[in-house]
Amino acid sequence: MIEFGIITVSDTRTEETDKSGKYLQDKLTSLGNKFVTKYIVKDDAKEILMAYNKLIDTNCELILVNGGTGIAVRDVTIETLEPQFVKLIPGFGEYFRRISFDEIGTRALASGATAGITATDQLCYLLPGSTNACQTALEKVILPDLDHLIKEITK
């Protein structure tokens, strides 16, 4: 069992309309993992960082951030959170874009999806806001190696 938290970054999503956050929560809990909390924040560096700092002060082993990873001016998730990581996992973003290319073509190249390790030894993924992209990332990349990566971080 893994404890996890979610941050949804969007100027428009609410608890009722957050399909990606709900998908991530439902999928992980259906596999026996423990949901800790979720924050829905605006595309604003200060709000994103505040939610992130709250989650790194929990027992979460996994933090999933969805939204704000594209190329729009308002998309600031990557620029805000990547500098917080003590170690990057560049292979995640590379592979995610590769398999997304098969699904959506060259549009996948605009994704800044990435992952890293927090200062408190949590695994953190920065995902696009689309539910389809979250499903691809979780089912094809994150879940197959999740237990292994968490063990590697804490050994």
Side-chain angles (χ1 to χ4, degrees), residues 8-9 13 18-21 65-69 127-134:
T8 294
V9 178
R13 300 237 171 97
D18 180 21
K19 289 191 268 182
S20 296
V65 181
N66 72 92
T69 61
L127 310 173
S130 118
T131 305
N132 184 58
C134 287

Side-chain angles (χ1 to χ4, degrees), residues 3 5 9-10 26 43 46-47 66 70 79 83 89 106-107 111-112 114 126 129 134 144 149 152:
E3 293 189 27
V9 178
S10 173
D26 290 349
D43 284 293
K46 187 175 179 180
E47 286 191 37
N66 72 92
E79 296 85 344
I89 306 172
T106 55
R107 288 182 294 151
S111 172
T114 191
L126 309 181
C134 287
L149 289 177
E152 285 295 309

Side-chain angles (χ1 to χ4, degrees), residues 4-38:
F4 70 97
I6 297 169
I7 301 171
T8 294
V9 178
S10 173
D11 287 335
T12 60
R13 300 237 171 97
T14 65
E15 189 62 43
E16 294 76 32
T17 62
D18 180 21
K19 289 191 268 182
S20 296
K22 181 172 177 22
Y23 163 76
L24 293 167
Q25 181 180 343
D26 290 349
K27 182 65 175 182
L28 283 165
T29 54
S30 75
L31 296 172
N33 298 296
K34 182 180 177 189
F35 173 67
V36 175
T37 193
K38 176 171 74 170

